Amino acid sequence: MSLSAIRINPSDAISSDPYTKLSPNGLDNGFIQPPPLRVRLLCELIGTCLFIFFGAGCATKTDNLLTVSAAHALVTVWLVYVFGPVSGGHFNAGVTIASAFDGKMKIIEIISYLIAQAAGALLSGALLLCLYGTGTTLGTPGLQPGVTVMHGFAIEFLCTTVLSFVIFFTTTYNSHKEAAYPIGLVVFSSFLLGADRDGAALNPWRWLGPAVASGTYHSTAWIYAVGPIAGFLVGYILFRIYKWLWNWNRTTQFLHV
């Protein structure tokens, strides 16, 4: 039995069919219904918290580009691998907002996801503060000397546009467990590109958690919210265009029948 045949995401479930209890190896795993909203929200809270905790925590200890990039990429892979089949593995306001345009989430789910993620971000900031104490930015992204606001915005926007396209592309053709690896590699590439320039948040929560805990605020902080959200929306639009081009001949042939 293939993993893709297992209905784990509630949006894949058919109301007239019972929820499968089978795991990939064909054994009963004890889960007799799709994950309820409360469980998905818990996954989003924990996942967002852990992504920031490990990513920003590493950035607090060292400014080595390769180390910081690898830390964010690795935590992305295993978080999406573990929680992706349950909640979708968003952990990012940009992903959730883009998913809203995809029409697969109800408004209450969207709002609840964003609240859970924000709570996870604030919790991670508190944990980082307990671990490293005051007197540090706790890995809060910020523009480096010589990097303009527009350069920082461009890094956030372009990297998240690519990340968004890859997320929607891979999760359309693969399970979340399979998609975790290319998604992690895009995160790795993005941090290699921008971590030493603007901090490469790629996620509004990645900025918010450490910033609130450390009291680090700058007038340029808007780029870490506007850039990623805009990038994820544009990436989603590009994916829809790609999908339309893929199906164009079939659509036109259908219209001429």
Side-chain angles (χ1 to χ4, degrees):
M1 184 176 184
S2 66
L3 185 63
S4 59
I6 301 176
R7 294 194 187 99
I8 300 179
N9 191 314
S11 63
D12 296 334
I14 301 175
S15 58
S16 60
D17 293 340
Y19 178 68
T20 181
K21 294 172 62 179
L22 295 179
S23 59
N25 58 11
L27 299 176
D28 185 342
N29 60 17
F31 295 97
I32 60 176
Q33 65 177 3
L37 181 59
R38 61 180 179 274
V39 173
R40 287 181 277 150
L41 295 181
L42 181 61
C43 290
E44 287 297 306
L45 188 153
I46 295 174
T48 306
C49 176
L50 292 179
F51 172 75
I52 299 171
F53 179 74
F54 284 101
C58 182
T60 302
K61 296 198 311 177
T62 178
D63 58 359
N64 181 274
L65 182 61
L66 183 60
T67 302
V68 172
S69 301
H72 286 86
L74 289 173
V75 70
T76 297
V77 169
W78 62 261
L79 283 176
V80 174
Y81 190 96
V82 172
F83 292 128
V86 181
S87 69
H90 294 192
F91 319 132
N92 191 322
V95 178
T96 301
I97 293 173
S99 297
F101 283 84
D102 200 32
K104 294 183 178 180
M105 297 180 69
K106 299 177 182 178
I107 185 65
I108 186 63
E109 293 177 319
I110 297 167
I111 296 174
S112 299
Y113 265 51
L114 293 175
I115 293 175
Q117 292 164 7
L122 295 176
L123 177 59
S124 70
L127 292 175
L128 288 170
L129 186 61
C130 292
L131 185 63
Y132 294 107
T134 58
T136 173
T137 63
L138 300 177
T140 304
L143 297 178
Q144 297 301 307
V147 180
T148 66
V149 175
M150 291 312 299
H151 286 160
F153 176 82
I155 291 172
E156 296 296 317
F157 175 77
L158 294 174
C159 288
T160 49
T161 296
V162 175
L163 179 58
S164 175
F165 182 87
V166 171
I167 288 174
F168 283 104
F169 183 92
T170 55
T171 54
T172 296
Y173 296 102
N174 306 279
S175 70
H176 280 85
K177 293 182 181 295
E178 295 167 325
Y181 299 103
I183 292 173
L185 288 174
V186 175
V187 171
F188 183 62
S189 302
S190 298
F191 272 84
L192 283 177
L193 176 68
D196 61 345
R197 302 286 290 167
D198 79 320
L202 311 183
N203 184 338
W205 309 131
R206 172 63 180 81
W207 172 84
L208 181 69
V212 171
S214 64
T216 304
Y217 301 98
H218 300 287
S219 61
T220 58
W222 63 269
I223 68 174
Y224 301 111
V226 178
I229 292 175
F232 272 103
L233 290 175
V234 171
Y236 170 70
I237 293 172
L238 291 177
F239 170 73
R240 291 305 298 264
I241 293 174
Y242 170 83
K243 190 174 182 180
W244 177 81
L245 291 173
W246 182 298
N247 297 323
W248 183 75
N249 285 336
R250 182 175 180 180
T251 303
T252 55
Q253 289 173 4
F254 175 77
L255 292 175
H256 285 89
V257 172

